Amino acid sequence: MAMEENLVDELQPPQKAERAADAGFLWDFWYPAVRSSEIRSRRLAKATLLEVPLVLGRTDDGRAFAMRDACPHRGIPLSYGRFDGQNLECGYHGWKFDGCSGQCVEIPSLSSQDKLKVERIFAGHYPCEERDGCVWVYMCEAPVRSEAAVPAAPKLATFSQRYKSTHLACDLPSHVDQGIIGLMDPAHGPFVHQSWFWRNKKSIHEKAKQFEPIPFGFRMSTHSPSSNSAPYQLLKKMTGAPVTTTIDFILPNLRTEEIRSGKLWFSSLTTVTPVRRDLSRIDFVAAWNVPLPVTIFRAFAKTFLQQDQETMIKQAEGLKHNPRLMLIDDADRPAKWYFALKANLIEARRKGTVMVHPMHDPVTLRWRS
Ligand code: FES
Ligand SMILES: [Fe+2]
């Protein structure tokens, strides 16, 4: 009788298969997956990032983990299985995987004759970190060999011991690129975000803002914000100090904003995360020590997000028919930088070279908004 050489037969090529058609995602970055509260005690949560189905959980010693939601044996989602606080057991044939490493620890069907090395089998597994009440997952294209090679997960900047904070999220029926260029688009403000408490269409005026290159992104250089917005005027009255604001965009999808006036500050981190090629999600987390109740701030922020969301739903209706689109100067220049940053990063990774930044020097952009 011939000895079985191959103890494991691969039924399908691993992970890369379903990415045959490029969806325009940026791999090897952190993305927010679920709220920390969704994996309280032994609850498992499901999420999709970059079209990868994930199951997330927390071990009894408090570590959050993220596995690909597919058993490496026959592909049934592991989220249908049982979690004992350390291992996740598949609901089909009971293979058990360590949550924190994805390593297989048990195959119940093996007999004493079997030579299969169980510990060499791994379920798809991704680095996972919790920040600001959210579970972030490092979506690596190839399995990460050493966690040391993974950069730190993004974190909201805060500037005092005590502060208030909140989180809001909403889905956009769009490719992540549309969500991101919507996020950095200055010209839609007077049309989409008209509110009595913020500003109105008549307050539109010419602006000049300086931008500068930063690693993997660009910054709207520190400046005093638009005088036609009531909240900024109020802040200035409260502290007597000038108000300054700095806004950064950093690949793959991060927008941070810092507003400071004397000892008072407000800080936010907004991300647009690719779920599928036709679905993305905005997460907005903010912290502040300005005297502003969470409920009131949430009501305002929600209105803003909903205005963006409603606009993007309408836009998706138009984009279904693949219209030709335009990017104009200067109002769409940040969008052009985004596409150039993304293309240059992909190119640099492909060639194994250093990424070329599309901006060289600070630039002043002018638009009316
Ligand atoms: S499919 Fe998971 S153990 Fe068989
Ligand atoms: Fe907006």
Side-chain angles (χ1 to χ4, degrees), residues 8 25 59 123 160 168 174 208 226 270 351 359:
V8 180
F25 300 148
T59 58
S160 58
L168 289 163
S174 336
S226 172
T270 313
K351 286 192 186 153
M359 292 169 81

Side-chain angles (χ1 to χ4, degrees), residues 124-347:
H125 186 262
Y126 298 88
C128 194
E129 289 282 348
E130 287 181 84
R131 297 274 190 279
D132 308 311
C134 187
V135 185
W136 292 72
V137 179
Y138 187 74
M139 294 305 292
C140 38
E141 191 149 29
V144 166
R145 299 214 176 272
S146 132
E147 300 256 331
V150 178
K155 185 168 181 11
L156 177 67
T158 54
F159 304 97
S160 58
Q161 285 291 316
R162 295 167 60 95
Y163 54 82
K164 299 188 179 77
S165 69
T166 195
H167 166 267
L168 289 163
C170 79
D171 287 338
L172 302 175
S174 336
H175 188 273
V176 64
D177 288 347
Q178 289 301 334
I180 285 174
I181 68 172
L183 195 69
M184 58 178 61
D185 168 28
H188 75 285
F191 301 91
V192 171
H193 300 299
Q194 288 178 52
S195 301
W196 62 267
F197 60 84
W198 189 252
R199 50 175 304 169
N200 60 47
K201 218 195 273 186
K202 286 191 212 105
S203 71
I204 192 165
H205 67 280
E206 187 158 325
K207 287 173 190 162
K209 296 270 158 71
Q210 187 186 291
F211 288 80
E212 58 194 275
I214 56 174
F216 294 101
F218 51 87
R219 166 171 299 166
M220 185 191 281
S221 311
T222 305
H223 65 284
S224 293
S226 172
S227 55
N228 59 3
S229 297
Y232 295 129
Q233 286 172 6
L234 195 66
L235 191 54
K236 198 170 164 184
K237 276 207 188 98
M238 274 191 296
T239 61
V243 183
T244 60
T245 170
T246 309
I247 300 174
D248 287 356
F249 173 78
I250 302 165
L251 284 180
N253 65 346
L254 304 163
R255 178 195 192 270
T256 63
E257 178 164 12
E258 277 175 36
I259 301 169
R260 322 230 3 203
S261 176
K263 281 197 174 129
L264 297 184
W265 57 270
F266 170 90
S267 162
S268 71
L269 172 70
T270 313
T271 50
V272 185
T273 296
V275 177
R276 300 189 310 252
R277 61 198 76 195
D278 61 346
L279 180 67
S280 47
R281 193 189 64 248
I282 294 192
D283 284 280
F284 173 77
V285 13
W288 63 91
N289 74 345
V290 293
L292 174 63
V294 172
T295 43
I296 296 187
F297 176 75
R298 280 184 70 86
F300 286 151
K302 219 172 171 170
T303 305
F304 254 72
L305 270 182
Q306 266 166 9
Q307 288 165 338
D308 282 326
Q309 186 188 37
E310 278 160 24
T311 308
M312 306 261 337
I313 290 171
K314 292 174 188 162
Q315 186 197 15
E317 197 182 307
L319 290 180
K320 260 191 255 159
H321 310 285
N322 279 318
R324 288 182 58 110
L325 307 174
M326 290 189 254
L327 293 173
I328 65 161
D329 277 330
D330 277 353
D332 292 334
R333 192 86 71 85
K336 291 185 188 179
W337 290 330
Y338 164 67
F339 286 119
L341 281 163
K342 195 175 164 185
N344 292 6
L345 176 70
I346 291 168
E347 180 71 357

